[in-house]
């Protein structure tokens, strides 16, 4: 009973923390509307790296949590996430690019076979442009997730029977097959996927800024939007993890044979975890497409999956909050904080050796190797933020000789 | 006829080059049960090292030097990245291998400053000869010969020397062979040395066909060679060689048709089919999991 109460308290606190954090993001982004530009520090300007990092971090944290659901909570070591992301991103790009733009984008194939877009579909009977865009994007997001989940189901039928590294390599192969498929230049197929060329023109993060009648932005939403989507999706995943299904997943991870003996249907639960993970990876792919503003099969290589896997490992395999924290750290380090390593620097006439283009990534990968080798538990281990925070609080209170009240409870 | 001959010839030489990489995968897997994701990148580094060597010393010195450098790299990777994780779960070691692959690619991007590197023309290997009415490179012709010689030597080493016997023992049962007094770490190091040396030879033969190398050049050949190893039955050297030739020939046939985009997709589809139908591959031994 006590335990449950504490859980509710912890949940409430974490929800509150997330809301406060998102509010802070919204305020930071809109500061330049309310405060004169000259008084703002450089890192708060709308073009600052800070917002790029926040956007990409939110996108990555959604995908990392979905990968963690599979790798960390179900113990299915899958390397096919780039493939699911690609499916999501392409579904979004094909269904949400306005038909007026499509002719120029698909010029090599004389226009697209999919000559409508979700927004236009909604607008035809709703009329309101903003509302139909939001509805169109949200519907397509869910569709994108479903497409990814459908493919996960199809590939999961044969592949999920495999164990550990065989599963990893089979899913990696699946991702590569999907990527090859989307680079196919056949005329009928190219009219849908635009071959190996990029698709662009679909709504991106900046299209969610609220504008007044003159087209002037009155409220920036471009950073907040990925946060809202990611928060909702991660919340759903947390609920799944906390449910009986989540417990079954963890039982499978810890001991397959014991789990089966306890009456857990292995095939069913593995498939469920695989499809759920793919579903959210598909939505993550949509966000990734919005972030990069163009869609092309090229970046969805196994290197992308490896990056995500390393994020999960750094955060702690089996910790949702760890995955989120490490996504932001990873993106911030690789895109922003370590940038100084890429510039040739001269301090007092002495040229610092080694510093030049690409050195940032070398340092970064050495740090990753150190974490992988010596801090195998990652930032959070398999614990969640409220748990860790509670422990730290206890320790502080104990040091201050105030632990009596805690102990009596 | 000429077309078929040229496709077959390039397929066989490609297969031979994959075989040299695949042996590295299959031996490491046989002993450590580890998919060494960094092996493809070691292969790439071997090519890069040769490029830098040829710039300063003649090719007949730089090729052996590049092979030695690759061996050192393989040895260091094993000692630094896999040895500390010997008692860790298998997945941690695999993640470490992925980390090494990431590190090697970033390191090479840094060293080459992101520029594609021009692969040098090696006298003799890059020269063309007319065969069956088509022009081909000497590298393609002598690849199968080199592969066969190396594999015969390797099987002799595995079957008739003390270290080979130790390798076989370790791959049968890791713990028991340790109890029997086999120095596990030495055996594993030797495995990595052999794998890297073969990959270095393979890289000389493989990259001669290409004009440039970039830091990601090793990833795909590495994966294809890995598929070959799985196809032949991972852990088995003859299996890896047969698998590599099958994959190489299939790849060059597909590249000759209008479905060239799908050559890799075909390779991976083959992988999934093999894993589902016969996970032990053509020559693999059945591994039973103990509870």
């Amino acid at each position: 009973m006590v335990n449950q109460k504490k859980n509710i308290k912890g949940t409430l606190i974490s929800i509150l923390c997330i809301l406060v954090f998102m509010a802070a993001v919204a305020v930071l982004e809109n500061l330049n509307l309310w405060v004169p530009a000259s008084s703002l520090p450089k890192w708060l300007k709308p073009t600052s790296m800070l917002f790029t990092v926040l956007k990409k971090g939110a996108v990555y944290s959604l995908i990392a949590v979905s990968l963690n659901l599979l790798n960390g909570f179900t113990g299915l070591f899958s390397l096919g996430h780039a493939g699911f992301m690609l499916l999501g991103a392409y579904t979004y790009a094909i269904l949400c690019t306005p038909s007026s733009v499509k002719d120029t984008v698909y010029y090599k194939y004389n226009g697209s076979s999919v000559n409508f877009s979700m927004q236009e579909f909604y607008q035809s009977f709703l009329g309101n442009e903003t509302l139909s865009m939001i509805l169109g994007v949200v519907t397509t997001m869910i569709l994108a997730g479903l497409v990814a989940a459908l493919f996960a189901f199809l590939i999961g039928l044969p592949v999920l029977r495999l164990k550990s590294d065989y599963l990893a390599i089979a899913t990696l192969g699946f991702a590569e097959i999907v990527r090859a498929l989307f680079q196919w230049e056949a005329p009928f197929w190219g009219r849908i996927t635009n071959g190996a060329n990029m698709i662009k023109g679909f709504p991106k993060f900046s299209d969610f800024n609220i504008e007044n009648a003159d087209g002037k932005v009155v409220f920036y939403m471009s950073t907040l939007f990925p946060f809202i989507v990611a928060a909702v999706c991660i919340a759903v995943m947390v609920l799944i993890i906390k449910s009986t299904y989540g417990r079954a997943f963890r039982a499978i991870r810890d001991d397959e044979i014991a789990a089966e003996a306890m009456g857990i249907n292995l095939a069913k639960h593995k498939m469920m975890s695989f499809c759920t993970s793919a579903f959210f990876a598909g939505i993550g792919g949509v966000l990734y497409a919005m972030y990069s503003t163009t869609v092309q099969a090229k970046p969805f290589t196994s290197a992308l999956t490896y990056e995500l896997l390393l994020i999960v490992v750094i955060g702690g395999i089996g910790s949702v909050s760890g995955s989120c924290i490490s996504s932001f750290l990873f993106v911030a380090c690789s895109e922003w904080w370590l940038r100084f390593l890429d510039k040739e620097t001269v301090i007092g006439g002495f040229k610092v050796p080694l510093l030049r283009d690409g050195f940032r990534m070398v340092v970064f990968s050495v740090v990753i190797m150190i974490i992988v080798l010596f801090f195998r538990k990652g930032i959070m281990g398999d614990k969640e933020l409220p748990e860790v925070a509670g422990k730290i609080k206890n320790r502080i209170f104990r040091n201050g000789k105030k632990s009596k009240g805690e102990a009596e409870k | 006829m000429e077309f078929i001959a040229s496709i077959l010839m390039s397929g066989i030489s490609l297969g031979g080059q994959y075989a040299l990489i695949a042996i590295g995968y299959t031996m490491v897997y046989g002993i450590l049960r580890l998919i060494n994701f960094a092996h493809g990148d070691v292969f790439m580094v071997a090519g890069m090292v040769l490029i830098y060597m040829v710039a300063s010393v003649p090719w007949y010195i730089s090729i052996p030097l590049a092979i030695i450098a690759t061996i050192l790299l393989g040895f260091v990777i094993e000692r630094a990245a896999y040895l500390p994780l010997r008692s860790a779960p298998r997945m941690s070691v695999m993640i470490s291998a992925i980390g090494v692959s990431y590190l090697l690619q970033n390191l090479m991007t840094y060293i080459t400053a992101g520029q594609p590197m021009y692969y040098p023309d090696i006298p003799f290997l890059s020269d063309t000869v007319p065969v069956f009415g088509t022009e081909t490179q000497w590298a393609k012709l002598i690849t199968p010969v080199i592969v066969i010689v190396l594999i015969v030597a390797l099987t002799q080493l595995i079957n008739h020397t003390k270290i080979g016997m130790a390798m076989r023992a370790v791959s049968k049962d890791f713990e028991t062979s340790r109890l029997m007094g086999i120095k596990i770490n030495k055996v594993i190091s030797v495995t990595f040395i052999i794998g890297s040396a073969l990959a270095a030879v393979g890289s000389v033969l493989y990259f001669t066909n290409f004009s440039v190398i970039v830091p990601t050049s090793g990833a795909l050949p590495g994966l294809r060679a890995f598929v070959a190893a799985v196809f032949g039955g991972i852990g088995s050297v003859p299996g890896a060689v047969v698998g590599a030739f099958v994959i190489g020939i299939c790849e060059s046939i597909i590249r000759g048709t209008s479905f060239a985009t799908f050559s890799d997709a075909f390779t991976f589809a083959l992988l999934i089919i093999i894993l589902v139908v016969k996970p032990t591959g053509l020559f693999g031994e059945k591994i039973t999991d103990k509870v």
Side-chain angles (χ1 to χ4, degrees):
Chain A
M1 199 50 208
V2 174
N3 199 9
Q4 212 172 4
K5 224 183 209 169
K6 218 175 177 182
N7 266 347
I8 290 170
K9 206 172 125 195
T11 319
L12 281 178
I13 290 174
S14 33
I15 290 174
L16 203 71
C17 285
I18 292 165
L19 287 180
V20 168
F21 184 61
M22 278 166 64
V25 168
V27 170
L28 273 184
E29 203 188 8
N30 286 293
L31 264 185
N32 68 325
L33 285 180
W34 306 325
V35 181
S38 52
S39 62
L40 274 181
K42 207 176 145 202
W43 55 274
L44 273 177
K45 297 259 161 67
T47 50
S48 154
M49 267 327 265
L50 173 71
F51 297 109
T52 316
V53 165
L54 283 174
K55 282 175 207 166
K56 200 176 176 189
V59 176
Y60 268 39
S61 57
L62 167 59
I63 305 165
V65 172
S66 77
L67 186 64
N68 205 346
L69 176 71
L70 200 55
N71 287 4
F73 287 96
T74 324
L76 293 173
F77 202 88
S78 151
L79 293 179
H81 251 54
F84 299 133
M85 281 170 69
L86 185 148
L87 287 168
Y90 262 94
T91 312
Y92 174 69
I94 290 165
L95 288 181
C96 274
T97 309
S99 49
S100 53
V101 186
K102 267 182 176 156
D103 284 338
T104 48
V105 171
Y106 285 76
Y107 72 95
K108 266 195 179 167
Y109 298 93
N110 302 320
S112 165
S113 310
V114 189
N115 47 11
F116 70 96
S117 73
M118 274 303 190
Q119 301 95 295
E120 286 154 18
F121 168 72
Y122 276 108
Q123 204 171 353
S124 63
F125 59 87
L126 283 175
N128 187 330
E129 199 178 335
T130 323
L131 184 67
S132 51
M133 185 192 77
I134 292 172
L135 271 179
V137 168
V138 170
T139 322
T140 319
M141 258 185 199
I142 294 168
L143 269 180
L146 288 177
V147 168
L150 174 73
F151 273 82
F153 177 74
L154 292 179
I155 192 67
L157 282 178
V159 154
L160 280 180
R161 279 184 286 166
L162 303 169
K163 292 241 165 77
S164 60
D165 38 9
Y166 282 108
L167 176 68
I169 218 63
T171 45
L172 185 75
F174 158 75
E176 291 292 327
I177 293 172
V178 170
R179 194 162 63 92
L181 191 65
F182 277 83
Q183 286 176 325
W184 194 16
E185 301 265 0
F188 72 93
W189 183 243
R191 282 176 70 86
I192 300 171
T193 64
N194 204 11
N197 314 305
M198 57 173 71
I199 305 180
K200 57 186 175 193
F202 45 79
K204 31 191 195 297
F205 288 149
S206 56
D207 291 326
F208 290 91
N209 292 338
I210 299 169
E211 291 171 359
N212 60 11
D214 310 333
K216 204 166 168 291
V217 179
V218 286
F219 190 78
Y220 278 105
M221 287 282 284
S222 60
T223 313
L224 195 58
F225 179 74
F227 272 87
I228 294 171
V229 176
V232 169
C233 292
I234 291 173
V236 173
M237 276 188 271
V238 169
L239 288 178
I240 292 175
I241 289 166
K242 297 236 167 188
S243 69
T244 34
Y245 294 118
R247 266 172 236 164
F249 293 165
R250 265 176 287 175
I252 292 172
R253 171 192 68 187
D254 291 337
D255 192 334
E256 273 193 16
I257 293 159
E260 200 171 21
M262 298 304 282
I264 293 171
N265 186 339
L266 281 191
K268 191 182 130 196
H269 282 91
K270 278 184 178 177
M271 184 59 91
M272 195 186 283
S273 168
F274 197 56
C275 291
T276 317
S277 174
F279 178 82
F280 288 109
I283 294 182
V286 174
L287 289 185
Y288 189 84
M290 287 182 178
Y291 166 78
S292 47
T293 69
T294 56
V295 165
Q296 206 175 2
K298 223 175 165 190
F300 295 94
T301 51
S302 45
L304 181 65
T305 313
Y306 294 165
E307 231 170 53
L308 292 165
L309 181 70
L310 291 173
I311 290 180
V312 171
V313 171
I314 293 169
I317 294 180
S319 163
V320 173
S321 41
S323 291
C324 297
I325 294 171
S326 80
S327 303
F328 284 103
L329 279 181
F330 188 96
V331 174
C333 287
S334 65
E335 304 266 330
W336 189 21
W337 292 340
L338 294 179
R339 279 277 172 202
F340 72 93
L341 289 172
D342 270 7
K343 282 191 208 117
E344 293 185 354
T345 322
V346 180
I347 301 171
F350 172 71
K351 191 169 166 291
V352 185
L354 294 176
L355 296 189
R356 92 179 133 83
D357 240 9
F359 192 60
R360 162 183 64 111
M361 291 313 281
V362 175
V363 172
F364 188 51
S365 30
V366 169
V367 172
I368 288 177
M369 275 317 287
I370 291 171
I371 293 175
V372 168
L373 286 178
F374 303 111
F375 303 95
R376 243 181 297 149
K377 283 191 158 174
I379 301 173
M380 305 289 283
D382 53 359
K383 297 186 178 60
E384 295 299 342
L385 201 53
E387 215 177 321
V388 175
K391 254 189 198 155
I392 293 170
K393 196 179 85 185
N394 278 352
R395 199 175 293 162
I396 292 168
F397 276 116
R398 204 163 293 153
N399 286 347
K401 308 253 172 194
K402 282 179 189 169
S403 62
K404 264 187 189 169
E406 288 282 320
E408 274 170 13
K409 263 184 195 171
Chain B
M1 181 61 210
E2 283 164 19
F3 182 63
I4 295 171
S6 83
I7 280 186
L8 264 187
M9 213 141 53
S10 64
I12 288 171
S13 74
L14 203 58
Q17 290 144 14
Y18 290 159
L20 292 176
I21 318 174
I23 289 170
Y25 276 111
T26 210
M27 285 176 70
V28 168
Y29 191 89
I31 287 181
L32 277 183
R33 299 275 176 271
L34 157 73
I35 299 173
N36 185 7
F37 277 102
H39 196 60
D41 299 289
V42 169
F43 170 76
M44 174 272 299
V45 172
M48 290 284 188
V49 168
L50 187 72
I51 291 177
Y52 281 99
M53 293 260 179
V54 165
S56 45
V57 284
W59 63 276
Y60 46 85
I61 303 176
S62 48
I63 290 181
L65 278 180
I67 293 176
I68 291 169
T70 316
I71 288 175
L72 268 179
L73 179 70
F75 177 75
V76 169
I77 288 175
E78 196 275 321
R79 281 290 147 114
Y82 305 146
L83 184 65
L85 297 175
R86 200 71 90 217
S87 55
R90 264 163 76 191
M91 286 307 121
S92 311
V93 194
M94 201 161 114
I95 291 164
S96 177
I98 289 175
V100 171
S101 149
Y102 195 66
L103 173 64
L104 285 181
Q105 287 187 10
N106 285 330
L107 191 66
M108 287 329 279
T109 313
Y110 170 64
I111 291 174
T112 60
Q115 298 295 320
M117 299 298 289
Y118 286 90
Y119 204 77
D121 274 343
I122 297 166
F124 180 65
L125 279 185
S126 313
D127 296 344
T128 51
V129 278
V131 183
F132 298 123
T134 53
E135 291 266 307
T136 189
Q137 283 181 322
W138 271 109
K140 280 189 184 168
L141 273 190
I142 61 165
T143 300
V145 183
I146 293 181
V147 171
I148 289 166
V149 169
L150 285 175
I151 284 160
V152 169
L154 183 63
T155 34
Q156 292 300 313
L157 178 89
I158 291 176
N159 290 330
H160 299 291
T161 60
K162 215 172 165 188
I163 185 79
M165 195 192 265
M167 281 165 140
R168 279 182 289 147
V170 176
S171 71
K172 270 268 187 296
D173 193 329
F174 199 87
E175 284 305 316
T176 314
S177 51
R178 174 180 273 170
L179 294 176
M180 295 303 217
I182 292 173
K183 292 195 175 57
I184 298 268
N185 288 339
K186 192 180 143 202
V187 173
I188 291 170
S189 290
V190 171
T191 313
F192 271 83
I193 285 170
I194 294 173
S196 312
L198 292 178
V201 176
S203 99
V204 175
L205 297 170
Y206 181 82
F207 287 123
T208 313
N209 300 324
F210 293 82
S211 52
V212 291
I213 321 184
V214 291
T216 47
S217 297
L220 269 179
L223 280 177
R224 290 182 205 129
F226 176 76
V227 176
V230 174
F231 184 75
I234 196 150
S236 140
V237 173
V241 176
V242 172
F245 278 111
V246 170
I247 298 248
I249 292 169
C250 287
E251 192 187 319
S252 60
I253 290 174
I254 292 174
R255 281 198 192 283
T257 66
S258 55
F259 290 98
T261 341
F262 287 103
S263 67
D264 282 329
F266 170 79
T267 310
F268 288 110
L270 190 70
L271 168 82
I272 293 178
I273 292 168
I274 284 285
L275 283 179
V276 170
V277 178
K278 198 170 183 303
T280 49
L282 292 179
F283 299 94
E285 288 167 30
K286 195 159 173 58
I287 304 161
T288 41
D289 273 341
K290 295 186 199 91
V291 180

